[in-house]
Structures are given as structure tokens and as C-alpha cells.
Amino acid sequence: MYRFGNAVTMDLYGKSHGPCVGCILGGIPEGLKVDMDKVFAEMDLRKPKGRIGTPRRESDVPEFLSGIEDGTTTGGPICIEIKNGNTDGSKYMAFYDTPRPGHADLPALLKFPDHDLRGSGQFSGRLTAAVVAAGAVAKQFVSGYSIRIAAFTRSVADVTDPEQRDLQSALESRNHQTRACTEELDKRITERIEEAGSQQDSVGGVVECVVEGLPIGFGGIWFDALDAELAAAMFGIPACKGVEFGDGFDLAKMRGSESNDCYHFEDGRIVTTTNHLGGIVGGMSDGAPVVFRTVFKPTPSIARPQHTVNLRTLEDDTVRAEGRHDPCIVPRAVAVVEAMTALTLADQIRRGFR
Ligand SMILES: Cc1cc2nc3c(=O)[nH]c(=O)nc-3n(C[C@H](O)[C@H](O)[C@H](O)COP(=O)(O)O)c2cc1C
């Protein structure tokens, strides 16, 4: 099992072509009414869509085996299991000899002699189905504290959404298969992904997440800092290669007089005039929306030939990752980013960082 969290924990298990994937969600208190329609809605958002997602289609119905009775949490561990139905490992056999560049094959084969490469085993994005189910419960827990979370696709390849987006417009992305905020961007991003797929290639992009409702002071400090833990949670998602808060790496080009988010009173409340720092100072919320972006690399498995080594002949070789893959991870990763954000916030609440 792979553990996330301290007070709210998620122990993830399973692999792509085993009987199931699942997790044990711990630390959610007794008495939370869980709206299963909302859980299923989150699961749907993670499912591959049209030609922009993997042809592997799964029903992805989460079974809650413990911890929820009559729609209400008992306070005990919540075991969530999702069956794997549509498995076909035949296209993965070649990777035992010729590991795919960009995927986990090479280190995994050398480190774990009995590594199961079918569907990429435990390194598969398939496990994020369980993450999204757990995150859907955590989202309902944090919404009890008036915290709202919404993510969307900021960019794919060279197509970037140029507008500043608040939580409401991020929610609009739920109507679009690429999770872009507008129809026009959805169309352009769809074209980019389909084009890459038809060229036996893949593309990456950026997911932006907005969190509203955190009171000033929410978050731990130092190694428990809210930004530190959100970043760690994001890096736990397969294919994440970077996280930035607010203006992120662009802060390097600014002066303090530009980057500081100044305070003023509005209707008796302290608010920031700008949000260059993404709503977090000293590891804690400054009351502005928390805004961060996560970059996902282009999907490593691509059908065009790439250089690799042959572990059997000990010679240089090539490999083509045929089989069923997402030509772009970003649209499906949006739901996963939201889920990991909800789990991080739930964990911080239960540790008293509120
Ligand atoms: C939702 C989701 C779907 C993914 N689908 C694929 C896929 O179809 N093919 C693939 O090669 N990688 C896919 N990945 C990425 C791999 O799991 C990931 O690149 C691999 O485990 C190596 O880990 P790393 O990229 O974090 O180094 C997916 C990731 C996520 C989050």
C-alpha cells in the first residue's frame, strides 16, 4: 500500500491489470453524509473521453466496502474498491526486454525482479480512480468548512487559456471534455490532442486549481506548510513534473513592490488587493483564493519508435508503445488534482491547522 496523509490518510492499493484498484481512507470523522451522486460525478470526470482519452474504458463504479452505513460515515476506515474489467496485457510484454523511455519500466524492472508490467502495474494512472473516489469524500468533508475546490485545464501543448479564472469559471470546465473553461478552448485543445494522437505522439499541459473559503491562518508551518503539502500531494500524481503557486516562476522577474499582495479592509474584512503569491504566506492562507498550477508531462507511452536498451541482448534497441494510452493526461488529471487537494485540506483540518 502507498500511504498519503497523517490524520486523514489514504492507503492506495492494486495495479492496472489486477482484479481491482482501491484505497482505505482513514480519519474522516463519524456523521458525514456522503452524497454518492457527487462521488459518481467526480468519477465520470476522470474517465477518458472521445479520442482524447485512452480506448481502455472502464465502468469505474466505486464500491464502499466499509466505513459508510446508510449513506453516513461511521468514523472507521472507508474501504473503496473499483474493479478492473477491460484488461489486455498483450501489448506490454515487449517492455520487459525494451523498457519504454519516460515510463517507470527501467527502474521498476531493475528494482523489483517480479514487476508486473501489464498496464504498467502499480505505476498506472489507473490507481487514480481510487484517489478520485477518496477525494470525492474528502471534498464533501471540507465543504462542511465552506471550502470549495475547482481545477481546470490552463494549457495543453501551445494552447493556453489567457484569462484569469476564478472558482466559478473553473467549475464551468466540468462541461467540457478537455476541462478547458470555454467551448472555444475545448475545441482547440481537442484538436491538439487528436493531432498528437494521430501522429503516434502525445502532449502535456498545465492544470490550475483554485481553492476558496480558507480562513486567514489556515495551514501548518515549515514542513507542514499548506503549500509544501499541496506540492507534495501533486508530485504524488503520476506524470506531474512541477508545481507553482500564484505567479510562480514569474516571481523571479518581479520586484517586492510588485509581488507583495497588499492588504486593505473591505466591508470590515482584511483582503489582499492582488494575488501574486497564490493565497499562501508563511505556509498559511492569507485569505485570498489559493491558486496553484501543476504541469503534467506528455504521456510517455507513444506508438512511434524510440531509442531504448534491450535488457536481454544488452544492446541498443528501439521500442514502440502500442496499446491503449491517453494521448494527453491533462484532461483526466484535473479530477485527480482536485481530489489530492481535498485530501490535503482534509488532513490539515484534522491535524488542527485550521
Ligand atoms: C490519469 C492518468 C492517466 C495516465 N495515463 C497514462 C497512459 O495512458 N499511458 C502512459 O504511458 N502513462 C499514463 N500516465 C502517466 C504514467 O502513469 C506515469 O508517467 C508513469 O507512472 C511514470 O511516472 P512519472 O511520470 O511520475 O515519472 C497517466 C497518469 C495519470 C495521472
Side-chain angles (χ1 to χ4, degrees), residues 46 54 100 102-104 120 123-126 128 237-241 296-297 299-301 324-326 329 332-333 336:
R46 198 203 69 95
T54 170
R100 290 166 292 175
H103 214 297
S120 309
F123 297 94
S124 171
R126 175 91 195 115
T128 61
I237 304 173
C240 162
K241 277 294 171 188
F296 289 93
K297 70 187 190 185
T299 314
S301 302
R324 302 176 302 174
H325 299 283
D326 294 298
I329 291 160
R332 303 182 64 200
V336 189

Side-chain angles (χ1 to χ4, degrees), residues 279-336:
I280 302 178
V281 284
M284 299 167 288
S285 164
D286 65 8
V290 167
V291 179
F292 63 92
R293 282 175 293 282
T294 304
V295 58
F296 289 93
K297 70 187 190 185
T299 314
S301 302
I302 53 173
R304 56 168 77 181
Q306 290 206 291
H307 291 292
T308 187
V309 289
N310 190 310
L311 298 173
R312 195 170 38 85
T313 64
L314 301 182
E315 287 172 353
D316 289 349
D317 207 336
T318 55
V319 65
R320 296 175 47 160
E322 287 169 306
R324 302 176 302 174
H325 299 283
D326 294 298
C328 181
I329 291 160
V330 173
R332 303 182 64 200
V334 175
V336 189

Side-chain angles (χ1 to χ4, degrees), residues 106-282:
L106 179 67
L109 284 168
L110 296 185
K111 190 166 180 176
F112 310 115
D114 58 352
H115 178 52
D116 180 0
L117 259 177
R118 294 169 308 149
S120 309
Q122 70 271 43
F123 297 94
S124 171
R126 175 91 195 115
L127 274 73
T128 61
V131 172
V132 169
V137 176
K139 220 185 213 187
Q140 295 185 41
F141 171 66
V142 303
S143 79
Y145 293 82
S146 306
I147 296 168
R148 299 181 74 207
I149 301 162
F152 64 95
T153 296
R154 169 58 73 186
S155 71
V156 164
D158 61 334
V159 182
T160 300
D161 181 345
E163 300 297 326
Q164 199 167 332
R165 301 286 176 193
D166 61 8
L167 190 124
Q168 198 48 46
S169 51
L171 286 170
E172 293 290 317
S173 75
R174 296 168 86 91
N175 302 317
H176 303 130
Q177 63 170 1
T178 65
R179 297 298 304 270
C181 289
T182 68
E183 245 171 69
E184 195 252 327
L185 282 162
D186 184 53
K187 197 165 158 279
R188 285 172 58 207
I189 291 173
T190 297
E191 279 166 14
R192 281 299 181 287
I193 299 174
E194 289 182 353
E195 183 187 49
S198 68
Q199 294 168 353
Q200 303 188 322
D201 216 334
S202 62
V203 279
V206 174
V207 175
E208 184 165 318
C209 187
V210 184
V211 182
E212 285 186 9
L214 298 180
I216 295 177
F218 185 110
I221 61 171
W222 277 95
F223 309 112
D224 300 325
L226 181 55
D227 44 2
E229 294 203 341
L230 282 171
M234 295 305 125
F235 275 106
I237 304 173
C240 162
K241 277 294 171 188
V243 181
E244 64 174 10
F245 288 81
D247 290 349
F249 280 73
D250 282 344
L251 289 165
K253 294 179 232 146
M254 293 183 180
R255 295 213 167 181
S257 54
E258 297 168 301
S259 63
N260 288 340
D261 296 315
C262 296
Y263 305 118
H264 67 275
F265 281 106
E266 217 169 82
D267 302 326
R269 283 188 324 121
I270 300 170
V271 295
T272 62
T273 312
T274 50
N275 193 4
H276 298 298
L277 303 179
I280 302 178
V281 284

